[in-house]
Amino acid sequence: MHRLRTALALGATAALFLAACGGSDDDDAAGGSTPTGSRGSAVSAERCAQNEAAGRVTYVTGFQYQASASILDPIAARALGYFDDVCLDVEIQPGTGETAQNAQLVAAGTAQVSSIAGNGDVLVNVANGVDVKAVAMFGHVPVATLMTKPDITDLKQLEGTTLGQKGALPVTIEAMLRAKGVDLSKVKQVVVGYDPSVLVRGQVQSLTGYKSNEPLTLAAMGEEVTEWNPEDYGVPGSIATTIVNPAFLADHRTAVEDFLRAQLKAYAYCEDHAEECVADAAELSQAGYDTDHNVEVWRTETGLVDGSLPAGQVLGQIDEAPVRTEGDFLVQMRQIPAVPDLGEVVVPDLVPSLYSGGELVWPVP
């Protein structure tokens, strides 16, 4: 039901990867990889013209330039020349981690495409009147985890102790605790920063975090922690949903298709060349980028993504059924009043159209 994580040979880091700004083409064009092909080499002249008609496509990352799924792969797609191969002019801007801000930027047309934490964040924003469409999803598992020292063997032991969180208890963690019968009124919650050593120093007895971040930092310190994961208790979740501006999708569907096509091609490349892709992301960050840690972030997240891909589906595919499952869960947890009309929110046919026989189509016929 839970996993005891042992030490990994990682580079220690803080959870934040420090601010970095967008900028000119030269500023946000990642280096370190040699672009392949030439302008329009992967599309016909007609499709090239359609994509160029879309103008500059602004993509906002989920959080800075960290090596997460749906962040590192678009960065690599640009560095490798894949966007150029399909005649797309892509500007990459770093997000702050505020999912509502990303959704609002896309809805307003300030950005055309963005990564957002998961389906639940899409549904909360849509329920709040933000008009975006979800076109892709990478992981079918919650990314949040609750860490304790190994002496905690039952979550009920957390009653009478202190839990550290980042400003709010993640709804998936709350659901897990309630499923195990924990009386949350007996758990003192405090807001802590992004230094997970507060757990091993005993300042808190449990700590919320992300599977691809804090446990890696603690392992690098030689500390053993137990990860309590919501999916082990039947709690649904997702990782890395891609949202687009509905008007942009309607006017420039080929551009959206080929953005995702290039991203998915880069994802496969980065699975085999993690260090190279992370080096591209590091060049975009102004300072303080922990390359070793980010390599492990990428490997951890791709492991979560690949390991949770449903049989018979292709990478990136989004369907209404799992989104509805998360929506029903959010209603149950009183996060949204009702599940929005998913026919107006989810575009399930887009990603499958990029594949043939389970293989990504590249170049485009």
Side-chain angles (χ1 to χ4, degrees):
M1 297 292 284
H2 57 268
R3 295 185 294 140
L4 189 65
R5 297 294 297 266
T6 56
L8 302 174
L10 312 177
T13 187
L16 288 179
F17 298 95
L18 301 182
C21 61
S24 68
D25 284 349
D26 292 338
D27 289 336
D28 68 3
S33 301
T34 302
T36 60
S38 59
R39 182 74 175 176
S41 63
V43 291
S44 66
E46 178 183 2
R47 193 174 181 97
C48 181
Q50 289 176 316
N51 288 348
E52 287 180 335
R56 172 163 291 188
V57 179
T58 299
Y59 166 76
V60 182
T61 72
F63 178 71
Q64 300 296 339
Y65 298 118
Q66 70 179 21
S68 291
S70 82
I71 297 177
L72 187 64
D73 28 328
I75 290 171
R78 176 159 184 174
L80 291 163
Y82 295 161
F83 288 137
D84 197 48
D85 291 346
V86 294
C87 298
L88 288 176
D89 177 13
V90 176
E91 177 184 6
I92 297 176
Q93 295 185 353
T96 64
E98 294 291 334
T99 58
Q101 182 180 73
N102 281 25
Q104 289 163 4
L105 288 171
V106 170
T110 305
Q112 288 70 50
V113 188
S114 177
S115 174
I116 201 167
N119 295 336
D121 301 277
V122 177
L123 294 173
V124 169
N125 278 284
V126 170
N128 288 331
V130 182
D131 187 18
V132 296
K133 288 188 179 292
V135 294
M137 180 184 71
F138 283 79
H140 296 252
V141 62
V143 72
T145 189
L146 182 70
M147 295 158 283
T148 68
K149 287 185 177 180
D151 61 315
I152 299 293
T153 58
D154 189 312
L155 287 173
K156 287 280 288 181
Q157 292 175 257
L158 297 182
E159 294 180 356
T161 69
T162 301
L163 179 152
Q165 38 98 328
K166 308 298 190 296
L169 184 65
V171 64
T172 53
I173 300 298
E174 178 184 347
M176 176 182 69
L177 292 171
R178 292 189 184 280
K180 288 299 293 179
V182 177
D183 184 347
L184 289 174
S185 69
K186 297 180 180 179
V187 179
K188 180 182 179 181
Q189 296 186 41
V190 297
V191 177
V192 298
Y194 285 87
D195 178 6
S197 67
V198 296
L199 175 64
V200 296
R201 293 200 304 266
Q203 293 174 272
V204 298
Q205 286 68 56
S206 58
L207 178 69
T208 64
Y210 299 95
K211 296 181 178 82
S212 56
N213 191 36
E214 289 88 349
L216 306 182
T217 301
L218 290 170
M221 297 166 57
E223 301 288 349
E224 288 189 350
V225 297
T226 300
E227 286 184 62
W228 302 82
N229 295 321
E231 64 270 22
D232 295 333
Y233 301 88
V235 179
S238 52
I239 300 172
T241 301
T242 302
I243 56 174
V244 300
N245 177 276
F248 182 79
L249 175 63
D251 293 341
H252 303 289
R253 184 175 172 111
T254 64
V256 176
E257 290 174 349
D258 290 344
F259 180 97
L260 291 172
R261 191 189 309 273
Q263 176 183 355
L264 290 162
K265 183 173 175 64
Y267 182 100
Y269 181 89
C270 292
E271 284 202 287
D272 295 329
H273 303 87
E275 291 83 358
E276 177 185 341
C277 293
V278 169
D280 293 329
E283 287 199 11
L284 299 182
S285 183
Q286 290 182 329
Y289 197 88
D290 190 327
T291 299
D292 291 340
H293 177 80
N294 273 281
V295 168
E296 294 304 326
V297 169
W298 173 250
R299 289 174 174 161
T300 300
E301 291 210 6
T302 54
L304 293 170
V305 169
D306 298 345
S308 65
L309 183 65
Q313 290 196 7
V314 293
L315 180 67
Q317 184 171 340
I318 185 169
D319 289 324
E320 288 189 17
V323 179
R324 180 167 297 281
T325 297
E326 286 194 59
D328 291 340
F329 166 69
L330 292 176
V331 171
Q332 178 186 350
M333 296 298 293
R334 299 181 181 179
Q335 300 296 302
I336 57 175
V339 179
D341 180 358
L342 296 184
E344 296 296 318
V345 177
V346 178
V347 187
D349 64 327
L350 198 152
V351 168
S353 73
L354 310 179
Y355 290 80
S356 177
E359 297 294 328
L360 185 70
V361 175
W362 187 282
V364 186

